[in-house]
Amino acid sequence: AWMTARRLQFDANCMMVTAAFGALLLGEFDEAASVAFLFSISELLEARATVKARDALGAIVSLRPDYANMVDSKTGGVVIVPAAKVPVGSLVSVRTGDKVPADGVVHEGTSAVDESSITGEARPVDKRAGDEVTAGSINVGSTQLVVRTTATVGDSTLSRLIQLVEEAQANRSETEKLVDSFARKYTPIVLLVAFFLCTVPWVFGEEVGRYWALNGLIIVVIACPCALTISTPVTYS
């Protein structure tokens, strides 16, 4: 809150801190504790949602194979190469337990392929010559598959999925943008109104000044939208 206030960029943190200090000045310690507690919960839920998203991305990234067993078109032998260097149209060998290095079409063999990490399908799918396979899926059958790649590793379905997840994490949601946009306009207005209520009425006497100063602090506390501040992290958790 202090860092954003120094830049004159008011956000939800400024709203919550202002409300807590206002409650303390009023002697409403329960109210101040409630505001701080609610905001702590929202921060905790936001951190939890971030960790879950990071773990999900890590699980997806781990599906991408590092190496591929590329079939030499001249000798018929298998050469282990980095998956990123497998060109389109190459033949790759996918043995039992191996991951498909890139999107492609089965050229030879019949086996069961686990695509649950990509498509969500719990049961392995039987693949035979002519069937499409997706990068990151695993050969769980008992026989080898020879796959002709139709895309590079960087252009595979798995890579595009990883890119989409990374972009979703980097970009803020519309709800988050709405909350901060609301805070930037709402917080200065509330503080300005409270400032005038706490200062100007003292011109008309000490009793009037005390009365309106109390009302100014009350406005600061009741104007804090705790529900709006906590709603975004609750949604994601």
Side-chain angles (χ1 to χ4, degrees):
W2 170 245
M3 296 300 294
T4 56
R6 286 181 60 184
R7 297 193 301 267
L8 298 180
Q9 296 176 349
F10 297 99
D11 59 4
N13 294 311
C14 295
M15 284 195 297
M16 302 300 285
V17 170
T18 302
F21 275 113
L24 288 174
L25 291 174
L26 287 172
E28 297 291 341
F29 302 111
D30 292 341
E31 185 73 24
S34 298
V35 171
F37 177 71
L38 287 174
F39 191 59
S40 298
I41 290 178
S42 71
E43 291 292 302
L44 176 64
L45 293 176
E46 185 176 358
R48 178 184 173 188
T50 302
V51 170
K52 288 172 63 177
R54 190 182 299 114
D55 291 343
L57 177 60
I60 296 175
V61 171
S62 67
L63 298 175
R64 186 163 50 189
D66 296 324
Y67 297 95
N69 300 316
M70 192 165 67
V71 179
D72 192 320
S73 57
K74 296 180 180 180
T75 64
V78 176
V79 181
I80 299 177
V81 298
K85 294 185 177 181
V86 176
V88 176
S90 301
L91 292 177
V92 293
S93 171
V94 184
R95 296 168 297 186
T96 301
D98 287 349
K99 298 176 183 177
V100 178
D103 294 349
V105 177
V106 177
H107 178 73
E108 179 184 323
T110 300
S111 187
V113 175
D114 180 7
E115 299 179 328
S116 59
S117 55
I118 307 297
T119 64
E121 176 61 47
R123 298 178 60 184
V125 180
D126 292 332
K127 298 290 184 179
R128 52 183 55 85
D131 291 341
E132 294 183 351
V133 288
T134 306
S137 54
I138 304 172
N139 181 4
V140 294
S142 57
T143 57
Q144 170 187 272
L145 291 175
V146 177
V147 177
R148 185 176 296 278
T149 60
T150 57
T152 61
V153 172
D155 195 38
S156 65
T157 301
L158 180 60
S159 294
R160 291 196 297 270
L161 178 60
I162 293 173
Q163 183 180 359
L164 288 173
V165 174
E166 289 176 341
E167 289 177 354
Q169 286 187 328
N171 296 330
R172 304 174 66 208
S173 70
E174 293 300 323
T175 307
E176 290 177 297
K177 293 178 182 178
L178 174 63
V179 171
D180 278 344
S181 175
F182 175 80
R184 280 195 296 269
K185 299 174 183 177
Y186 177 77
T187 305
I189 294 174
V190 172
L191 292 179
L192 187 62
V193 171
F195 174 77
F196 280 115
L197 288 178
C198 292
T199 56
V200 175
W202 288 91
V203 177
F204 303 100
E206 182 177 349
E207 185 176 349
V208 176
R210 288 180 179 276
Y211 174 79
W212 285 106
L214 178 63
N215 286 331
L217 293 175
I218 291 174
I219 286 177
V220 171
V221 176
I222 65 175
C224 177
C226 297
L228 179 61
T229 305
I230 199 175
S231 61
T232 301
V234 166
T235 301
Y236 289 112
S237 60

